[in-house]
């Protein structure tokens, strides 16, 4: 009997020392994750019929803006580690979306260039991505949408100066 009373006393003390609760509904991280996952799933469903995976999508977006980036530059822009980038680029090369060529000024560097097929996908896939954004922000006024994007950028800035987590992709 004394053990049960002691166990209840410990349990009561533990719940009194429990940190402040953070329900999922109030968790910015959880809400961002779930919104991102929903957006990613919908985007994937739109681009997959064109032979493009989510992994390829971000590299295509970067190359559509600046064709000929090096593998390292692509890794930085996309926020992936170089081995991840190499795997994605190999798949994109097999799919006929990109080629990799030695930089004529620095033979150590490989530049990633869009093929005509990779370039043509821009005209098809960017409108689909715009539809995904429209779906994600359905019911937002233009002002609310602009504010929402500002808030998301502010979240990123709030973490930008913090030291990176050792396991984080860069």
């Amino acid at each position: 009997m004394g053990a049960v009373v002691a166990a209840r006393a410990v349990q009561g003390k533990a719940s009194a020392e429990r940190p402040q609760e953070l329900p999922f509904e109030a968790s910015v991280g959880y809400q961002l994750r779930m919104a991102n996952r929903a957006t990613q799933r919908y985007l994937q469903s739109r681009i997959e019929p064109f032979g493009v995976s989510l992994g390829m999508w971000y590299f295509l977006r970067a190359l559509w803006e600046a064709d000929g980036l090096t593998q390292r530059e692509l890794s930085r822009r996309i926020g992936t580690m170089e081995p991840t980038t190499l795997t994605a680029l190999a798949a994109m090369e097999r799919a006929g979306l990109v080629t990799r060529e030695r930089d004529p000024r620095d033979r150590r560097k490989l530049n990633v260039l869009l093929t005509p097929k990779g370039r043509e996908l821009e005209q098809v896939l960017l409108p689909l991505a715009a539809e995904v954004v429209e779906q994600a922000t359905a019911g937002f006024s233009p002002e609310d949408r602009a504010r929402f994007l500002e808030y998301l950028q502010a979240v990123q800035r709030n973490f930008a100066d913090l030291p990176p987590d050792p396991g984080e992709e860069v």
Side-chain angles (χ1 to χ4, degrees):
M1 188 80 150
V4 171
V5 172
R8 285 189 183 145
V10 169
Q11 185 180 24
K13 185 177 180 183
S15 48
E17 293 174 4
R18 190 170 178 200
Q20 181 180 1
E21 290 192 27
L22 181 61
F24 286 133
E25 297 79 25
S27 170
V28 171
Y30 178 80
Q31 294 300 326
L32 285 171
R33 175 178 167 73
M34 297 310 286
N36 180 57
R37 288 180 58 144
T39 305
Q40 298 298 301
R41 277 192 306 270
Y42 188 58
L43 176 62
Q44 180 64 47
S45 75
R46 303 294 288 148
I47 64 175
E48 196 170 49
F50 299 92
V52 176
S53 69
L54 278 175
M56 296 174 178
W57 167 252
Y58 295 102
F59 293 103
L60 285 171
R61 287 289 312 265
L63 291 168
W64 291 334
E65 288 184 9
D67 197 10
L69 294 171
T70 66
Q71 293 177 168
R72 179 163 286 157
E73 290 166 330
L74 274 169
S75 291
R76 286 190 183 124
R77 285 191 188 200
I78 305 306
T80 57
M81 296 180 80
E82 289 187 48
T84 303
T85 299
L86 293 175
T87 301
L89 292 177
M92 293 173 73
E93 216 167 16
R94 285 190 304 275
L97 302 175
V98 299
T99 59
R100 291 183 275 186
E101 298 177 8
R102 291 269 168 220
D103 187 312
R105 295 170 305 239
D106 185 343
R107 304 290 296 159
R108 296 170 297 171
K109 294 180 180 179
L110 279 174
N111 294 335
V112 181
L113 301 162
L114 289 163
T115 63
K117 179 181 177 182
R119 174 61 62 199
E120 289 167 10
L121 280 174
E122 180 178 14
Q123 300 304 312
V124 176
L125 297 183
L126 276 182
L128 296 177
E131 288 176 21
V132 171
V133 171
E134 288 301 318
Q135 182 63 40
T137 57
F140 287 30
S141 70
E143 297 80 17
D144 285 344
R145 184 173 166 181
R147 250 190 313 278
F148 178 65
L149 290 171
E150 288 173 15
Y151 294 150
L152 292 173
Q153 292 164 0
V155 169
Q156 293 171 64
R157 284 191 306 273
N158 289 342
F159 291 111
D161 294 332
L162 296 178
D165 178 9
E168 177 184 327
E169 288 206 0
V170 211

